[in-house]
């Protein structure tokens, strides 16, 4: 028997089980409960109202069944098991009396079997009942609404029979008995099985090989795929306890139950910057499914590309989308589509590159009919909302900036794809270069050049390093530092490979570039027009309009679009969106017919008041709206903001002093190039200067604080691409801000290099807050040049390991201005703590040290305690959630006996227990400076509390001892609180 207590204890698991399936599965459970009279008709009707979220229905059902007693609870468990068994071929036969004197009662008692028997014949039965006058045409149409599956139509017909007194129930009881018994589930039908096989074959063919960005070779995806860092995305204020880092997932855990934002939604959103590996992640998912090695809960997987979907101009229905633009069924199209409608929980749809979909998400236009054509944007938006194919799973990938708050309302879970870890970079290079010694040499080169290493955490840069490995290994110390350097290197690689072997130059010299300048400008014009019209797939007509010929295409930067629209000539696309931005910048830098003043629009947008980057810019940079259609200025005003930012950074790099001579040789007028360079310099410096001076005045008594807006990072990146010290110094001249906050800003190693390049010129010390980013060990190394101006450094939740700590300690703890260091929620072990302890011995400035959520253990605590015994400045230390036991506690107690500066010690979420508390109590007896000791959640009993009480009798300095979440009974809690109010229980 299932007791009330056991049922209540399992409530959360039962809710999860009920909502993890589909509405069809939930209604099947209701069928069983109704047939066993666990639910009354009144109960059942309450669960049949349309539009109720499944999670609400599940909780209401548990409440209803709870009130029925232990027998009802047990029957619910049985109903769940029966519903799950419905995925197997049924063994239901005629087991009711077709001439029963109580047809309504028997329809209810045998409801699950009758629904199953009606499933494949409900349309015919509706026709018969209407012909014989049992139901009206209006009632028939209501049941046949396209939002209902076949099973739901069968249930609504049975529901109608319970209130009709014209013999409908008796007719159904007899007629359904005569229907053939279903021998198999619908997707075991021959036509459906053939379609499933064809779909798997199609998806396998599309995903088995990874086309490299240049399309020059096909690599087996299984041999090259490297896992990226995939985290459950959290925002400030919504994360878990401060000692917990965001959970990381493997690809196979994409549909796990962790981190749900909206349990009633069906969409998994994967966000990541350009080049972070979103498309490859989806391709690996498709391959795992098609080969039967993963995601087998789905019988149908339909992959789509948003950049391809936006090319569809004519209206289309759900059926047209799936069959005409993914995989066409050779037989039984209508029957197969009905199966899809009836079993949406067995469907997975993936949509890659939502940021390249030119239509912005809206939920204003509702479309619920799967057979009625509508626009492609309406179809996609209603799929994501669940108005179409509710309970079908969807995966959507996008760059973060393209995801609106409105879209996030319809997301089940949001995941952040952060690119390669340091180990991932090395693993990828070893997979790409299996020749003896090549991968080892490349890895050594990366480790020796931190700027290049920092770029490679984005997979697109790792591919470039792999592609240009010969050039990099030959260059020795001249490795690329900036993004522009890297793209010019790949440009050199392609140009050299296009040259005849006997005439190939040795590098990207003026003659090589000048010889292919027309081609590069043609590609640049195409790229710019594409950005300005949100077009990323180009037809032959568009190529011709930009003067792109077959020789230009043969260079390799344009490749056939993936999953081209059937029935059309295969369109072309750039290798990657970043290459399209690079060529657009190249055109802006070198086109002879472009006015320098147009460059100012590169830092503007078509809605100046609504987008953050526009608000960063001085009014002098904003031209009037009267731009000629198709002009450079008009194209820049219409381009998507995130593409505009990438293009701006590339342009800054191309116009830098580093590459000036190269471009000057290609520019007919050196004066024109200088004007463009001066315009870009002025606009960048002025924009950043204006941004800094727009910061509100500080609250009296507090430091002036600035929370960076999204465009700020790109302005800094553009300054870094220019690599001009004077410009960076001028940009931050006069900045007076005490706290610079850059949390949740997608700051990786490349952004760290840019920040350090600019911020090191600050005249006043600043608190730099970089929590919840992707700094990593490489990023820590990139930040070193600006540590001398930091009075506080926050690096919480940044995937920093012991290696990063070594670099940080080597420089940071020697900076006399550094007072606060927050390293919580990283991956620092005892080894890192020992390195930090060594650095602390010589430090005299640090006052706050946050180390929570790491893995220092007893050894790390011992090392830190030994270093802090004589430390004269540290006032606050947090070692929350570090797996510290009694051994570490004993060392910290000895530290308290000697230390005369520490005022607060935080040790929550450890394993101190009574033994460790007794040691700490002894330390408190000899300490005269500690004011707060936090020991919550440490498995402490009244024995440990008694030791603390004895210590408090001899210590008047301590003001609070936190003991919440320990193992005290209510009576013990009351007694302890009364004995000393400083114990917070």
């Amino acid at each position: 028997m299932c007791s009330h207590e056991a049922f209540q204890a399992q409530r959360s698991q039962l809710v999860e089980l009920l909502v993890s399936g589909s509405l069809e599965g939930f209604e099947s459970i209701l069928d069983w409960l109704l047939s066993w009279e666990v639910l009354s008709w009144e109960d059942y009707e309450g669960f049949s109202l349309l539009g109720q979220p499944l999670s609400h229905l599940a909780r209401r059902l548990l409440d209803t069944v709870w009130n029925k007693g232990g027998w009802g609870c047990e029957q619910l468990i049985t109903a769940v098991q029966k519903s799950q068994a419905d995925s197997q071929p049924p063994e239901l036969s005629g087991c009711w009396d077709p001439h029963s004197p109580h047809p309504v009662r028997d329809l209810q008692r045998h409801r699950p079997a009758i629904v199953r028997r009606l499933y494949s014949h409900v349309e015919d039965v509706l026709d018969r009942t209407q012909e014989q006058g049992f139901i009206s045409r209006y009632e028939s149409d209501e049941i046949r609404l396209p939002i209902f599956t076949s099973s739901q139509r069968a249930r609504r017909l049975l529901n109608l029979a319970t209130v009709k007194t014209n013999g409908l129930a008796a007719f159904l009881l007899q007629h359904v008995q005569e229907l053939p018994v279903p021998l198999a589930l619908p997707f075991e039908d021959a036509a459906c099985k053939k379609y499933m096989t064809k779909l798997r074959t199609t998806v396998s063919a599309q995903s088995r090989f990874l086309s490299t960005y240049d399309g020059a070779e096909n690599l087996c995806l299984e041999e090259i795929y490297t896992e990226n860092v995939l985290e459950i995305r959290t925002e400030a204020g919504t994360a878990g306890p401060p000692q917990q880092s965001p959970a990381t997932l493997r690809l196979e855990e994409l549909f796990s139950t962790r981190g749900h934002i909206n349990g009633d939604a069906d969409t998994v959103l994967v966000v990541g910057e350009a080049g972070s590996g979103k498309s490859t992640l989806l391709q690996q998912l498709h391959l795992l499914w098609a080969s039967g090695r993963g995601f087998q809960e789905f019988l149908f997987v339909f992959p789509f590309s948003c950049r391809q979907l936006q090319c569809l101009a004519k209206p289309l229905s759900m059926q047209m989308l799936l069959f005409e633009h993914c995989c066409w069924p050779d037989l039984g199209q209508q029957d197969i589509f009905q199966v899809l409608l009836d079993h949406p929980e067995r469907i997975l749809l993936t949509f890659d590159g939502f940021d390249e979909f030119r239509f912005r998400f809206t939920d204003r236009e509702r479309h619920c009919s799967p057979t009625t054509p509508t626009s492609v944007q309406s179809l996609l938006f209603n799929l994501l909302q669940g108005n179409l194919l509710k309970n079908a799973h969807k995966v959507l990938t996008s760059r973060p900036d393209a995801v609106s708050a409105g879209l996030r309302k319809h997301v089940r879970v949001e995941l952040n794809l952060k690119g390669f870890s340091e180990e991932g970079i090395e693993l990828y290079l070893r997979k790409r270069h299996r020749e003896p010694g090549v991968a080892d040499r490349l890895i050594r080169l990366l480790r020796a050049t931190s700027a290049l290493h920092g770029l490679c955490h984005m997979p697109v840069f790792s591919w470039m390093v792999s592609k240009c490995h010969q050039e990099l290994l030959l260059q020795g110390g001249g490795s690329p530092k900036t993004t522009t350097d890297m793209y010019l290197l790949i440009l050199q690689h392609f140009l050299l490979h296009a040259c005849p072997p006997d005439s190939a130059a040795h590098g990207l010299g003026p003659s090589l570039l000048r010889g292919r300048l027309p081609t590069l400008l043609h590609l640049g014009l195409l790229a710019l027009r594409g950005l300005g019209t949100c077009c990323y797939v180009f037809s032959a007509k568009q190529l011709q309009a930009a003067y792109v010929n077959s020789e230009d295409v043969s260079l390799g930067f344009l490749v056939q679009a993936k999953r081209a629209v059937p029935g059309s000539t295969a369109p072309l696309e750039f290798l990657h969106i970043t290459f399209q931005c690079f060529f657009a910048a190249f055109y802006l830098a070198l086109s002879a017919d472009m006015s320098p003043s147009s460059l100012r629009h590169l830092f503007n947008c078509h809605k100046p008041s609504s987008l953050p980057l526009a608000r960063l810019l001085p009014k002098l940079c904003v031209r009037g709206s009267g731009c000629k259609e198709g002009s450079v200025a008009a194209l820049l005003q219409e381009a998507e903001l995130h593409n505009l930012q990438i293009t701006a950074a590339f342009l800054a790099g191309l116009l830098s002093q580093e590459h000036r001579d190269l471009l000057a040789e290609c520019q007919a007028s050196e004066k024109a190039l200088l004007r463009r360079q001066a315009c870009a310099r002025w606009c960048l410096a002025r924009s950043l200067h204006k941004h800094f001076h727009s910061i509100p005045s500080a609250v009296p008594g507090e430091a002036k604080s600035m929370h960076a807006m999204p465009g700020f990072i790109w302005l800094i990146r553009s300054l870094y691409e220019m690599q001009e010290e004077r410009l960076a110094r001028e940009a931050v001249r006069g900045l007076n801000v005490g706290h610079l906050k850059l949390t949740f800003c997608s700051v990786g190693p490349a952004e760290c290099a840019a920040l350090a390049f600019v911020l090191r010129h600050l005249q006043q010390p600043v608190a730099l807050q970089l929590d919840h980013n992707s700094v990593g060990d490489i990023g820590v190394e990139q930040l070193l040049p600006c540590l001398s101006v930091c009075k506080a450094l926050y690096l919480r939740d940044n995937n920093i390991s012991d290696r990063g700590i070594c670099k940080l300690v080597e420089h940071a703890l020697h900076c006399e201005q550094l007072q606060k260091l927050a390293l919580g929620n990283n991956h620092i072990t005892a080894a890192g703590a020992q390195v930090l302890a060594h650095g602390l011995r010589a430090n005299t400035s640090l006052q706050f040290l946050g180390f929570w959520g790491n893995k220092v253990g007893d050894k790390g605590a011992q090392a830190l305690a030994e270093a802090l015994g004589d430390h004269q400045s540290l006032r606050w230390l947090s070692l929350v959630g570090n797996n510290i036991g009694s051994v570490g506690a004993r060392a910290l107690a000895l530290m308290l006996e000697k230390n005369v500066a520490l005022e607060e010690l935080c040790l929550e979420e450890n394993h101190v227990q009574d033994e460790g508390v007794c040691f700490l109590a002894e330390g408190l007896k000899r300490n005269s400076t500690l004011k707060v000791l936090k020991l919550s959640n440490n498995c402490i009993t009244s024995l440990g509390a008694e030791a603390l009480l004895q210590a408090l009798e001899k210590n008047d300095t301590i003001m609070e001892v936190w003991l919440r979440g320990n193992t005290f009974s209510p009576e013990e809690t009351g007694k302890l609180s009364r004995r000393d109010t400083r114990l917070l229980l």
Side-chain angles (χ1 to χ4, degrees):
M1 293 289 290
C2 179
S3 69
H4 263 63
E5 292 75 15
F7 186 85
Q8 195 68 8
Q10 298 173 6
R11 181 181 174 90
S12 60
Q13 293 96 318
L14 286 169
V15 170
E16 186 176 311
L17 185 64
L18 291 171
V19 303
S20 63
S22 64
L23 185 60
E24 170 64 33
F26 183 80
E27 291 183 347
S28 174
I29 292 170
L30 296 181
D31 289 341
W32 287 105
L33 294 176
L34 186 62
S35 70
W36 297 330
E37 298 184 353
V38 176
L39 297 179
S40 66
W41 267 109
E42 290 76 14
D43 294 331
Y44 179 82
E45 287 172 347
F47 293 111
S48 301
L49 297 175
L50 295 176
Q52 299 182 84
L54 188 54
S55 59
H56 294 182
L57 292 173
R59 292 183 175 90
R60 281 185 51 210
L61 178 60
L62 294 180
D63 293 339
T64 302
V65 171
W66 166 264
N67 293 327
K68 306 286 183 180
W71 173 79
C73 298
E74 184 178 5
Q75 292 298 90
L76 174 61
I77 301 298
T78 305
V80 171
Q81 294 170 342
K82 290 273 191 183
S83 175
Q84 291 176 336
D86 282 349
S87 61
Q88 304 299 321
E91 297 179 1
L92 301 171
S93 57
C95 54
W96 62 85
D97 180 4
H99 305 290
S100 168
H102 306 288
V104 173
R105 183 195 65 188
D106 281 13
L107 280 181
Q108 179 176 332
R109 285 184 176 178
H110 302 285
R111 185 179 177 93
I114 291 173
V115 169
R116 178 59 64 85
R117 191 78 71 88
L118 272 171
Y119 173 87
S120 301
H121 308 280
V122 66
E123 299 299 324
D124 293 336
V125 173
L126 283 170
D127 289 340
R128 290 283 300 276
T129 53
Q130 185 179 342
E131 289 169 4
Q132 297 194 21
F134 290 115
I135 62 174
S136 66
R137 180 177 178 180
Y138 172 78
E139 290 168 329
S140 176
D141 290 343
E142 281 287 299
I143 293 173
R144 282 186 160 115
L145 285 174
I147 60 173
F148 299 134
T149 66
S150 294
S151 298
Q152 289 172 329
R153 291 171 186 170
R155 291 186 182 98
R156 276 153 181 76
L157 180 58
L158 295 181
N159 296 350
L160 192 60
T162 63
V163 297
K164 287 274 188 178
T165 58
N166 59 358
L168 175 59
F171 170 78
L172 289 176
L173 199 65
Q174 182 174 352
H175 184 68
V176 172
Q177 177 82 337
E178 297 168 359
L179 295 174
V181 176
L183 299 177
L185 290 178
F187 39 76
E188 292 176 353
D189 174 77
C192 194
K193 290 180 74 172
K194 183 176 181 180
Y195 179 68
M196 289 162 60
T197 300
K198 181 179 181 180
L199 181 61
R200 281 187 185 269
T201 303
T202 301
V203 174
S204 176
Q206 291 175 349
S207 58
R208 187 166 298 280
F209 294 100
L210 179 67
S211 295
T212 53
Y213 289 105
D214 57 351
E217 55 181 329
N218 285 325
L219 304 170
C220 182
L221 182 62
E222 289 183 84
E223 296 177 1
I224 205 68
Y225 181 74
T226 306
E227 284 273 352
N228 285 7
V229 177
L230 187 65
E231 288 185 354
I232 296 176
R233 191 172 187 269
T234 58
E235 293 288 0
T238 63
Q243 67 274 13
Q244 293 183 359
S245 299
T248 57
L249 301 176
R250 295 180 59 81
L251 175 58
E252 291 78 3
E253 301 174 287
L254 202 62
F255 301 102
S256 73
T257 57
R258 291 189 284 170
H260 285 183
I261 302 170
N262 179 359
D264 297 314
D266 310 312
T267 299
V268 174
L269 173 64
V270 180
V271 297
E273 298 298 333
S276 60
K278 301 182 294 293
S279 300
T280 306
L281 179 137
L282 280 188
Q283 189 173 336
Q284 176 71 356
L285 183 159
H286 299 151
L287 179 61
L288 290 173
W289 174 78
S291 60
R293 291 178 290 131
F295 306 102
Q296 295 307 291
E297 64 269 31
F298 304 114
L299 295 178
F300 307 91
V301 171
F302 297 98
F304 295 100
S305 163
C306 289
R307 63 163 53 177
Q308 293 285 348
L309 287 180
Q310 72 174 359
C311 298
L312 304 177
K314 68 175 184 179
L316 71 165
S317 66
M318 191 72 246
Q319 183 172 351
M320 294 165 65
L321 176 70
L322 299 180
F323 291 170
E324 295 181 19
H325 299 284
C326 191
C327 182
W328 177 261
D330 299 319
L331 298 171
Q333 289 89 351
Q334 291 304 321
D335 292 339
I336 292 171
F337 187 60
Q338 190 60 53
V339 170
L340 297 175
L341 295 178
D342 291 344
H343 298 278
E345 73 280 0
R346 309 305 295 273
I347 299 173
L348 171 63
L349 302 105
T350 65
F351 298 96
D352 188 28
F354 184 72
D355 52 282
E356 296 178 354
F357 197 60
R358 69 173 176 267
F359 307 102
R360 297 282 70 86
F361 176 82
T362 176
D363 52 11
R364 294 176 183 173
E365 182 185 347
R366 181 156 296 199
H367 182 84
C368 301
S369 171
T371 55
T372 304
T374 184
S375 64
V376 67
Q377 64 267 32
S378 174
L379 200 62
L380 176 56
F381 297 162
N382 281 279
L383 268 169
L384 297 176
Q385 293 173 71
N387 298 328
L388 290 169
L389 281 185
K390 177 62 180 171
N391 297 319
H393 288 72
K394 280 86 69 175
V395 178
L396 183 71
T397 70
S398 176
R399 280 184 272 180
D401 293 343
V403 181
S404 65
L407 176 57
R408 281 195 168 96
K409 291 191 302 184
H410 304 285
V411 168
R412 189 179 187 91
V413 64
E414 183 171 347
L415 306 176
N416 193 356
L417 192 64
K418 293 194 166 186
F420 287 151
S421 64
E422 191 170 348
E423 295 76 17
I425 294 172
E426 295 187 9
L427 179 59
Y428 173 81
L429 291 176
R430 293 191 187 282
K431 287 183 175 183
R432 283 290 280 121
H433 299 282
R434 301 180 186 272
E435 315 93 305
V438 174
D440 290 332
R441 291 173 62 198
L442 271 176
I443 291 168
R444 284 197 297 271
L445 173 66
L446 291 183
R447 287 176 177 172
T449 52
S450 61
L452 182 57
H453 203 179
L455 293 174
C456 285
H457 88 287
M458 283 297 185
V460 65
F461 286 103
S462 289
W463 170 77
M464 290 185 191
V465 166
S466 173
K467 192 71 181 173
C468 302
H469 70 279
Q470 292 181 338
E471 292 92 330
L472 285 168
L473 293 175
L474 288 173
Q475 282 182 1
S479 297
K481 288 177 63 177
T482 67
T483 301
T484 309
D485 293 344
M486 198 67 225
Y487 278 75
L488 284 172
L489 180 64
I490 201 78
L491 175 61
Q492 168 191 313
H493 178 87
F494 277 61
L495 291 176
L496 288 174
H497 278 70
C499 292
D502 56 346
S503 63
H506 295 292
L508 189 61
S511 59
L512 179 63
L513 198 60
R514 191 167 50 245
R516 296 305 294 265
L517 186 60
T519 289
L520 301 180
L521 290 176
H522 295 163
L523 294 175
L525 179 59
L526 180 71
L528 182 61
R529 287 178 176 174
L531 295 181
T533 57
C534 299
C535 177
Y536 312 102
V537 178
F538 304 100
S539 65
K541 184 177 180 181
Q542 289 169 309
L543 296 177
Q544 186 177 4
Y547 313 107
V548 176
N549 55 36
S550 57
E551 184 181 356
D552 301 335
V553 173
S554 69
L555 190 58
F557 287 104
L558 288 171
V559 294
Q560 283 195 359
K562 303 179 182 69
R563 289 190 287 274
V565 178
S568 64
T569 306
L572 299 179
E573 61 186 2
F574 281 91
L575 306 178
H576 190 261
I577 183 62
T578 53
F579 281 97
Q580 186 168 345
C581 294
F582 173 75
F583 277 103
F586 195 92
Y587 180 84
L588 293 172
L590 286 178
S591 174
D593 57 352
M594 200 209 58
S595 169
S597 62
S598 299
L599 296 185
R600 296 174 181 178
H601 293 279
L602 189 58
F603 302 94
N604 188 24
C605 58
H606 56 287
K607 295 181 181 178
S609 62
S610 63
L611 290 174
L613 186 61
R615 295 196 294 268
L616 296 177
L617 300 174
K619 293 180 181 178
L620 290 173
C621 287
V622 182
R623 185 178 165 185
S625 58
C627 298
K628 182 181 178 182
E629 185 177 357
S631 67
V632 170
L635 291 170
L636 292 176
Q637 286 186 325
E638 293 299 320
E640 290 290 346
L641 178 61
H642 37 265
N643 293 332
L644 212 59
Q645 292 170 336
I646 298 172
T647 306
F650 277 132
L651 180 65
L654 289 169
L655 294 176
S656 68
Q657 200 68 33
E658 175 77 17
H659 303 302
R660 176 183 164 186
D661 292 342
L662 178 66
L663 297 191
E665 291 292 333
C666 304
Q667 175 61 262
S669 169
E670 185 176 356
K671 187 176 180 180
L673 184 63
L674 289 173
R675 282 203 302 267
R676 293 177 196 186
Q677 189 180 54
C679 180
R681 277 203 197 108
W682 179 85
C683 198
L684 275 172
R686 180 76 173 169
S687 299
L688 197 57
H689 200 61
K690 184 81 173 178
H691 175 54
F692 285 150
H693 283 273
S694 69
I695 304 167
S697 300
V699 176
E702 296 184 8
K704 193 173 183 180
S705 179
M706 184 192 96
H707 195 309
M709 291 183 286
F712 171 75
I713 292 292
W714 282 97
L715 286 172
I716 293 289
R717 291 259 340 229
S718 297
L719 282 171
Y720 178 69
E721 292 294 318
M722 277 201 144
Q723 286 289 297
E724 292 190 27
E725 299 280 352
R726 183 187 59 80
L727 186 60
R729 190 180 300 110
E730 172 64 22
V732 297
R733 180 173 55 85
L735 174 65
N736 180 23
V737 60
H739 191 124
L740 180 57
K741 190 175 182 181
L742 291 161
T743 58
F744 293 103
C745 284
S746 300
V747 175
E751 289 75 22
C752 287
L755 282 168
F757 180 78
V758 176
L759 297 182
R760 62 181 173 173
H761 297 292
L762 288 171
Q763 300 300 309
Q764 302 293 330
V766 66
L768 180 58
Q769 188 168 355
L770 293 169
D771 300 330
H772 311 292
N773 283 296
S774 306
V775 172
D777 296 338
I778 307 171
V780 167
E781 191 172 352
Q782 303 288 56
L783 287 172
L784 298 181
C786 73
L787 291 184
S788 60
V789 299
C790 292
K791 62 182 179 183
L793 183 62
Y794 301 80
L795 290 169
R796 295 172 287 200
D797 181 26
N798 267 291
N799 292 315
I800 297 170
S801 72
D802 296 335
R803 181 176 176 271
I805 286 296
C806 293
K807 292 287 184 183
L808 188 63
V809 168
E810 185 180 341
H811 293 79
L813 294 186
H814 297 295
C815 298
E816 295 181 359
Q817 297 188 97
L818 187 66
Q819 299 175 3
K820 188 168 187 176
L821 187 59
L823 295 166
N825 298 341
N826 283 294
H827 306 291
I828 303 164
T829 68
Q834 289 165 350
V835 172
L836 178 61
H838 181 74
L840 286 171
R841 293 181 187 276
N843 175 271
T844 58
S845 63
L846 200 65
Q847 298 179 25
F848 301 88
L849 177 59
F851 226 67
W852 62 88
N854 284 290
K855 305 170 186 176
V856 304
D858 284 333
K859 287 186 177 180
Q862 284 178 298
L864 290 170
E866 291 171 6
L868 294 174
D870 299 322
H871 204 278
Q872 300 296 309
S873 63
L874 195 71
R875 293 160 44 199
W876 184 88
L877 173 64
S878 175
L879 293 170
V880 175
N882 264 284
N883 199 29
I884 297 171
S886 59
V887 174
R890 183 176 187 178
L892 291 167
L894 293 173
M895 178 269 293
L896 290 176
E897 293 181 11
K898 303 175 185 178
N899 188 281
V900 294
L902 194 66
E903 296 178 2
E904 185 168 334
L905 177 60
C906 307
L907 293 172
E908 302 110 296
E909 305 287 347
N910 283 295
H911 307 288
V912 171
Q913 300 183 327
D914 290 335
E915 184 180 4
V917 169
C918 291
F919 290 134
L920 290 169
E922 289 300 314
L924 287 179
K925 292 177 183 178
R926 298 173 178 84
N927 182 278
S928 60
T929 57
L930 195 71
K931 296 177 181 178
V932 179
L933 175 62
K934 296 183 178 180
L935 293 168
S936 302
N937 299 308
N938 265 289
C939 303
I940 300 168
T941 70
S942 57
L943 178 63
E946 188 64 39
L948 286 170
L949 284 168
Q950 293 176 15
L952 292 179
E953 292 176 1
K954 300 180 181 181
N955 188 318
D956 296 328
T957 308
I958 194 111
M959 299 169 63
E960 295 178 0
V961 178
W962 292 24
L963 290 173
R964 299 184 181 97
N966 286 298
T967 52
F968 304 125
S969 67
E971 296 79 10
E972 289 173 331
T973 300
K975 289 179 181 179
L976 292 169
S977 297
R978 287 190 292 272
R979 289 180 63 184
D980 196 317
T981 57
R982 290 178 290 177
L983 293 184
L984 303 183
L985 296 152

